[in-house]
Amino acid sequence: MNLTLAIMQCLNGLQLGILLFLMAAGLTLVFGIANFVNLAHGSLYMMGAFVGALVYNLTSSFMLAALAVVPAMMVVGIALEAGIFRRLYARSHLDQVLATFGLILFFNELARTLWGPSPYYMEVPPSLSGAIDVFGINYPAYRLLIVAAGISIALGCYVVIHRTRLGMLIRAGATHRDIVAALGVNMGLLNALLFGVAAALAGVAGLLAGPILSVQSGMGEPVLILTMVVIVIGGIGSIRGAFYAALIVGVVDTLGRTLLPVALRELLERSAADSAGPALASMLIYILMAAVLAWRPQGLFPVKH
């Protein structure tokens, strides 16, 4: 593989990592603070993509689509917390898994009912359809927007988590929930806010992924699996861990799918290498997760107590 292709794939991995971070950031806080297993988080990503695509196709404005997705998904997240999740906090994780799995089925059928079974397409905005020179490579401007938007959101999360009173409560709640509640903090309100923010971040990830993926029912489940891997590798409850782990997973997954088939062609026949390479590449991130669990069960960047 030449240098140009390697740089291109690294940028693609970075872009994938940014999308995974947007998914993992909210979900890891929900895990860490509310101690809630939300399998429906991928469905919020899907609904964000559908809402964004709908608004964009009606208005031809990507900015209006973004402005619509954020409050709409916050409302959905808060409504789910108040109407369903709050009743499951005291239940076992198995009950939470079963309930949120039911929500996956509900949202998938809702998407099919509202938008049909066929993919619902969203075009790349014309102003971002070109390419920008990066290290001598013409790289799609829209994919660079995803990277820039994700990094900006990551910096915003860092400022909120580490430089504000709300962030102090979030960090304290992630490690000493009972003590924070005993000090008079309204944990119910904090949980509702967390679910709202998590849903908004997932919706933004769906919006950004819409123009480069098919917006369709069921699109949230594959990305949810990758998000879970990111959270395990980074450390539950850690925004910093979610960011670094998302980048690691994105780059490893993208480079693995490119490099492994090429490397195997040196050892096997081309047909065998082409069939075995993608299969092995898809296993890389899970092998990485298993290695991290064996070495550091708390994750690479756990929350500091």
Side-chain angles (χ1 to χ4, degrees), residues 165-202:
R165 175 176 172 78
L166 175 62
M168 178 188 69
L169 295 176
I170 290 174
R171 285 184 284 120
T175 54
H176 304 290
R177 173 184 173 86
D178 293 336
I179 295 177
V180 172
L183 292 174
V185 175
N186 187 337
M187 293 301 297
L189 180 60
L190 184 61
N191 287 339
L193 178 61
L194 282 176
F195 275 101
V197 171
L201 290 174

Side-chain angles (χ1 to χ4, degrees), residues 28 50 198 305:
T28 193
F50 271 114
H305 296 273

Side-chain angles (χ1 to χ4, degrees), residues 17-32:
I18 289 297
L19 289 178
L20 291 177
F21 166 72
L22 294 177
M23 288 287 293
L27 189 56
T28 193
L29 287 178
V30 168
F31 275 174

Side-chain angles (χ1 to χ4, degrees), residues 202-278:
V204 169
L207 169 68
L208 293 174
I212 59 177
L213 299 174
S214 295
V215 180
Q216 58 187 338
S217 177
M219 66 181 290
E221 283 73 82
V223 75
L224 176 67
I225 296 173
L226 290 176
T227 303
M228 295 292 189
V229 172
V230 167
I231 291 174
V232 170
I233 292 175
I236 294 176
S238 172
I239 290 290
R240 180 174 68 105
F243 181 75
Y244 290 126
L247 297 184
I248 292 171
V249 169
V251 172
V252 168
D253 184 65
T254 303
L255 287 181
R257 295 178 187 277
T258 305
L259 290 175
L260 264 181
V262 175
L264 287 177
R265 286 172 191 165
E266 302 295 328
L267 304 172
L268 305 172
E269 294 182 359
R270 186 181 183 89
S271 59
D274 289 343
S275 61

